[in-house]
């Protein structure tokens, strides 16, 4: 079988997929790798794509529930931290801005936004968003993001050039998906950590105290807002 030059289908280049999709790439590529191949009738994972998608969606849902529980039980104290590569007040404020703009729907939308995806469940828990409403939105988000993107990757495997590409470049795809995503994650971590160290060296306050943590807590009414809400109460034009 002849290899298909990636120049003819550049959007299949694993590096391009990683750059475009970031962490999503693992979901799409998981679906691709679940597609039957001549050397693996049940895909690289050896199980049905339905199980792969279901398990990824379930993991996403459980992760969201755990994040909410941590925020709900910990309260504002979870924000009382020192700036680091993992925690940043700016990241919490960015997440809060999403809630201010989209209300509770942020729980669904956050799945597709790096950083916000991490802090949204915790922020919802700290702000005591209605648990059943949160769980419903968390479930919808997990289905769309975890299950949906995996099945999307599986579906595009039916496109002949895609199937041929996966057949010929399976090792490269695995390396790019896992290694590329890990590198992107580490790059963001060390970048944020470097910023925190520079701020501390410059004498800036890099520790969130109790009063500052309290100020990061969202009002409960924020979670009931619709996406058209803005200050003043009138819908956006």
């Amino acid at each position: 079988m002849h290899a298909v030059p990636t120049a003819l289908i550049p959007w299949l280049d694993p590096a391009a997929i990683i750059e475009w999709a970031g962490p999503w790439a693992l979901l799409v590529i998981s679906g691709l790798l679940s597609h039957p191949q001549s050397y693996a009738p049940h895909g690289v994972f050896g199980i049905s794509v339905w199980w792969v998608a279901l398990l990824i969606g379930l993991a996403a849902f459980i992760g969201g529930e755990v994040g909410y529980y941590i925020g709900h039980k910990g309260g504002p104290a979870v924000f009382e931290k020192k700036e680091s590569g993992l925690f940043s007040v700016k990241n919490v404020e960015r997440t809060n801005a999403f809630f201010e703009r989209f209300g509770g729907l942020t729980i669904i939308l956050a799945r597709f936004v790096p950083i916000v995806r991490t802090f949204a469940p915790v922020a919802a828990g700290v702000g005591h968003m209605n648990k059943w409403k949160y769980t419903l939105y968390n479930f919808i988000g997990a289905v769309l993001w975890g299950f949906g993107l995996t099945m999307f990757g599986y579906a595009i495997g039916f496109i002949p050039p895609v199937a041929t590409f996966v057949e010929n470049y399976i090792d490269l795809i695995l390396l790019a998906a896992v290694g590329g995503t890990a590198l992107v994650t580490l790059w963001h971590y060390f970048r944020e950590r470097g910023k925190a160290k520079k701020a501390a060296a410059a004498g800036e306050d890099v520790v969130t105290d109790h009063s500052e943590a309290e100020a990061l807590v969202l009002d409960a009414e924020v979670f009931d807002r619709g996406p058209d809400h803005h200050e003043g109460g009138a819908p956006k034009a």
Side-chain angles (χ1 to χ4, degrees):
M1 183 178 292
H2 297 290
V4 178
T6 58
L8 298 179
I9 40 176
W11 58 277
L12 290 179
D13 182 358
I17 295 176
I18 293 293
E19 181 178 358
W20 169 74
W24 304 0
L26 284 179
L27 299 184
V28 176
I29 292 176
S30 291
L32 268 174
L33 298 183
S34 297
H35 208 278
Q37 307 294 331
S38 60
Y39 51 84
H42 297 289
V44 171
F45 302 113
I47 59 176
S48 168
V49 65
W50 294 99
W51 281 110
V52 174
L54 179 63
L55 290 173
I56 292 176
L58 179 62
F61 174 77
I62 293 175
E65 292 297 299
V66 171
Y68 179 91
Y69 179 82
I70 291 173
H72 184 72
K73 291 297 183 181
V78 301
F79 296 139
E80 295 180 31
K81 296 180 180 294
K82 182 178 180 180
E83 296 279 320
S84 67
L86 296 176
F87 175 81
S88 168
V89 169
K90 289 184 178 179
N91 288 335
V92 179
E93 292 174 340
R94 182 187 178 196
T95 301
N96 287 353
F98 267 79
F99 277 110
E100 293 284 352
R101 182 176 180 184
F102 299 106
L105 289 177
T106 292
I107 300 302
I108 299 175
L109 301 176
R111 291 286 182 182
F112 302 89
V113 184
I115 304 301
V116 176
R117 174 171 56 247
T118 302
F119 287 94
V122 178
V126 173
H128 300 298
M129 178 179 179
N130 178 274
K131 179 62 174 65
W132 296 112
K133 183 176 183 179
Y134 171 83
T135 296
L136 174 61
Y137 285 173
N138 181 39
F139 175 77
I140 294 173
V143 169
L144 293 177
W145 186 72
F147 186 88
L149 286 181
T150 302
M151 293 305 295
F152 170 75
Y154 179 79
I156 63 176
F158 284 99
I159 302 174
V162 178
T164 302
F165 183 82
V166 173
E167 185 90 19
N168 291 317
Y169 296 101
I170 183 64
D171 293 339
L172 178 61
I173 292 174
L174 286 171
L175 179 62
V178 178
T181 303
L183 287 175
V184 170
T185 302
L186 288 173
W187 179 77
H188 281 291
Y189 169 77
F190 286 112
R191 184 185 66 173
E192 293 301 319
R193 186 177 180 182
K195 288 181 180 179
K197 286 185 175 181
K198 287 182 179 179
E204 297 180 22
D205 180 12
V206 294
V207 178
T208 304
D209 60 27
H210 182 71
S211 61
E212 292 171 328
E214 288 279 357
L216 292 172
V217 179
L218 290 164
D219 295 329
E221 60 91 16
V222 170
F223 305 117
D224 295 322
R225 293 177 180 174
D228 291 331
H229 173 88
H230 77 296
E231 295 301 325
K236 294 180 181 179

